[in-house]
Amino acid sequence: MDKIVKNESLHLQAYNIIKEGILKGDYEPSKRVIEAKLADRMGISRGPVREAIRMLIQDGLLIYNNGFVRVYEPTMRDVVEIFQCRENLETLSISLAIKNITDNQKDQIADNLEETNKAFEQNDGVELGRLDQQFHDIIMQSSNNNQLIQLLGAIRTKIHYMRNSMVNGDFYPSFVEEHNRIYELILKGEEETAEKIMKEHIRKGLEGVLMHINH
């Protein structure tokens, strides 16, 4: 676990440390989270940890269950519902991105795709997960819509957690090709086709998660 830096906001540091641990799989789904133990491990008082836990409950990564705080354990219904939300928000995101994307953001996507192809050749699942999230984050930021960015950010965090906790970060083979195709459509300004490809891309992601759950 990362160390706390005393001259920075303690509750935000605690929040980021616990959140990173959850997303990395250090805490198993439904595992009980004990405030006092976390505080002791980080070498801080319980107050900042309590605030961090409150923030993570708001994020949906921790929940109250029978009087205890536990790590969120997604159900199949949760997975389907969150991907439904993601599909519609990502479609809006790419539509707005085509209208608002900057040259610098286009360059960021190009760099991301180059790194993604290398990671795919090396079968580096951890790096692919990071780059996949980065790709969608750049498009999200390119939308230039703060409310959309906030909503998608919360949803993406949950999807990242679901992928790591339920499917071990696996990716379906064509996702790299789809990222490249989406980038080409952004450059060409082909909004309608880009929306269609993005919808298919998100649906394949859902199918991949459900396939692992069913097996």
Side-chain angles (χ1 to χ4, degrees):
M1 180 170 285
D2 294 338
K3 297 292 184 182
I4 291 288
V5 180
K6 294 296 184 182
N7 61 348
E8 295 181 10
S9 172
L10 295 181
H11 76 278
L12 288 177
Q13 289 184 77
Y15 166 79
N16 287 322
I17 289 170
I18 301 166
K19 180 179 178 180
E20 182 181 358
I22 293 171
L23 294 178
K24 283 169 57 181
D26 294 342
Y27 303 88
E28 294 179 4
S30 81
K31 180 179 175 66
R32 196 177 155 198
V33 173
I34 302 172
E35 180 184 299
K37 286 187 177 180
L38 288 172
D40 184 60
R41 193 180 307 170
M42 287 185 271
I44 58 176
S45 66
R46 292 171 63 170
V49 174
R50 188 177 305 120
E51 177 62 16
I53 288 172
R54 185 192 66 79
M55 293 168 68
L56 287 161
I57 289 171
Q58 284 187 331
D59 289 347
L61 293 177
L62 296 178
I63 60 167
Y64 276 116
N65 186 296
N66 295 326
F68 300 109
V69 176
R70 297 184 184 276
V71 178
Y72 169 57
E73 183 171 21
T75 64
M76 188 176 293
R77 177 175 177 172
D78 292 338
V79 173
V80 171
E81 288 179 350
I82 204 154
F83 268 88
Q84 286 175 338
C85 293
R86 184 189 181 191
E87 179 184 321
N88 285 283
L89 290 172
E90 292 264 15
T91 302
L92 175 58
S93 180
I94 198 163
S95 172
L96 292 172
I98 286 175
K99 297 178 178 73
N100 297 305
I101 193 166
T102 65
D103 289 340
N104 180 55
Q105 288 166 331
K106 290 175 184 177
D107 290 341
Q108 288 178 36
I109 297 178
D111 292 341
N112 170 277
L113 292 175
E114 186 176 342
E115 291 180 44
T116 300
N117 287 317
K118 288 178 184 175
F120 194 75
E121 289 171 5
Q122 296 166 0
N123 197 29
D124 187 342
V126 173
E127 183 67 357
L128 280 173
R130 183 188 73 79
L131 291 165
D132 176 51
Q133 189 162 12
Q134 184 187 71
F135 175 84
H136 288 275
D137 283 346
I138 297 167
I139 293 174
M140 177 181 73
Q141 293 295 333
S142 302
S143 74
N144 203 28
N145 183 310
N146 290 330
Q147 297 303 315
L148 176 62
I149 290 167
Q150 185 177 349
L151 290 167
L152 263 178
I155 283 175
R156 267 232 207 88
T157 297
K158 275 196 170 183
I159 287 174
H160 181 56
Y161 169 67
M162 287 174 178
R163 180 176 284 143
N164 284 349
S165 64
M166 303 173 87
V167 303
N168 299 317
D170 289 348
F171 291 86
Y172 59 92
S174 65
F175 104 93
V176 178
E177 296 172 18
E178 289 162 15
H179 279 197
N180 281 285
R181 178 68 174 139
I182 288 167
Y183 177 56
E184 290 173 6
L185 293 167
I186 289 173
L187 293 180
K188 293 177 181 177
E190 295 184 14
E191 185 177 335
E192 188 174 334
T193 307
E195 288 179 355
K196 179 174 177 289
I197 298 297
M198 182 63 86
K199 278 190 176 183
E200 292 172 358
H201 181 61
I202 302 304
R203 287 174 185 172
K204 282 186 181 179
L206 171 60
E207 289 167 6
V209 174
L210 293 179
M211 180 179 67
H212 281 80
I213 294 173
N214 291 331
H215 287 76

